[in-house]
Amino acid sequence: MSKTIYLTTPLYYVNASPHIGHSYTEVAADALARYYRLKGEPVFLLTGTDEHGQKIAQAAAAAGQEPQAFVDRVVGTFQSLWKTLDIRYDRFIRTTEPAHITAVQELLAQLYDGKKLTRAEYQGWYCTPDETFWTEGELATAGAPSRAGTSSPPHAERGAPGSVAGAPLCPSCQRPLESAKEEGWYLRLRAHEDWLKQFVRQHPQFVRPETRYNELKSLLEQPLPEYLCITRPKSRVSWGIPVPFSADHVVYVWFDALLNYLTVPRYLERQRKDLWPPDVHFIGKDILRHHALYWPIMLHELGVPDEQMPKTIFAHGWWKIGEQKMSKSLGNIVDPTAVVGGLLKDQPYAADVYRYFLLREIPFGQDGSFSEEAILKRLNTDLGNDLGNLVNRTLSMLDRYLQGAVPVVPKDQLDILGDQIVGGAGAEGRRGLADAAESLTETVQRAMDHLEFSVALEAIMGVASRANQYIELSAPWKLAKQPGNERQLKQVLGVLAEVLRIVSIHMEPFMPSVARAIWQQLGLHGEPARLSDARWSTTVENRSIAKDHPVLFPRMETVG
Ligand code: MSP
């Protein structure tokens, strides 16, 4: 059975509606999945929601709802945003699905039966917003400020979880931690340290980009905590999957959620043996530790051999708002629904503009800054001036000079064409545009292989700009005025139409509706669905552009 490319996103917490950060991971994963589909490769995109744990239980209580009713409501905000953003996933998993719950219990029982779990008491610090436990050792390594007025040795604190004056801050989100002492079930971490170090050394692609791989290597230079507690006492957190062999416990939310990557191919989609191992786990850099330390160790304990480990965990950067971190308390959370349905409401392809902005604005893997000005700038310049203008000019000229007929210029005529039309630009102008359009296949592939979405988009838009220059150089309006130039005029407009056809195919993973619109305005049937069609046409066909070709990206005044 041939392998299907298996891509995953994190399961988003449903304590609140989605924000720009969630949409970023989702759009990136969707763009890669669409790209593989365009190439004709089998691909499976898994996404979903993380619905258990203390944080969700607290949010439900604050909303005055039972947890299940609460998550049933909030999950809808994610699903409807994915619809708005044209996310084409193959499976949406909710961790409250009965089949996932049974699967997690089965895997847990497997670990228990295999004597992989230890029962003990743990002592340390808990971050509820991150649902993450920190040992004193980890806090010391992360350089967290120590508590005022205590000189207790590690693990000396006692008592139920709760805020403590002078509590250390969470190394990940910088919020105060709560002291926690709980009895539970543990997975061994340190026992697998040597194995993990070697695995990571031997698999430089395991974590990408390189900065995150190096971060993982330096995390591994410190000793791993002895254990990971994978349960929570029911007395404190009741909203979780019951532990089959321990009536007083529920499963730790991260343990439950990480297993989704395995429960889906192994239990929920029983026929999908072709999925494992995952090809890319898309995550944000804040959850690298869970994915690159805990997850492989969990799999290792479950008996997954090294060659069946996930291939790549790609940890992308963080969106800031202007120069600030996005947070509820600062009141600066960017709601994608408000951007698409508010700021961009007059745009016919608002969702695509948003998708384009996310993937073009910052190199995937680095941090970036969101602002309304930035999105409008991308809209007016790249999309309006370059792509939109090219479509508009080409279609209008086809309309005006050739009554909408699209001439097809076979490749072997392009040399003559180039010499005649772009004579002034010499050899460089010759076939340059056609070659640039055709070479997109290779350039985009190279970029997509490394998840360099901004590089792929830059190359595609570069061809659009070049086509605009070609219009200036060849000045079809002059050719139209001078008798005897009909053949040349036809060729110029034919070249432009062909470049646009190729560009629209490459645009599909990023801006699916825009790509379809260009395709249909060019009078082509169906949709830009095959990358193999991104070659210069060799056959002559009779085709006319669509009657209507409304402007794709109406210009918007920048705010402020
Ligand atoms: N539930 C866990 C993931 C479990 S996966 C088995 C979780 N959920 S989350 O909702 O908090 O975050 C989901 C994703 O959104 C993460 O990849 C995170 O990095 C991303 N982002 C959250 N805020 C972000 C920004 N401000 N910028 C970019 N992405 C960020 O973690």
Side-chain angles (χ1 to χ4, degrees), residues 25 78 128 145 188 239 259 274 283 301 309 342 376 419 437 442 480 493:
T25 326
F78 281 85
T128 304
R188 290 172 302 166
W239 183 235
L259 280 177
D274 54 322
I283 62 164
E301 281 288 45
M309 285 286 156
L376 294 186
D419 273 342
E442 208 188 310
L493 297 185

Side-chain angles (χ1 to χ4, degrees), residues 9-13 19-22 24-25 50 55 254 257-258 260-261 282-287 291 316-320 326:
T9 74
L11 299 194
Y12 308 102
Y13 285 129
H19 58 60
I20 184 175
H22 305 127
Y24 187 45
T25 326
D50 191 351
K55 174 160 131 157
W254 264 103
L258 283 166
N260 93 90
Y261 304 133
F282 283 86
I283 62 164
K285 63 179 185 179
D286 53 316
I287 52 177
H291 282 81
H316 65 65
W318 205 246
W319 281 93
K320 288 184 295 174
M326 190 169 64

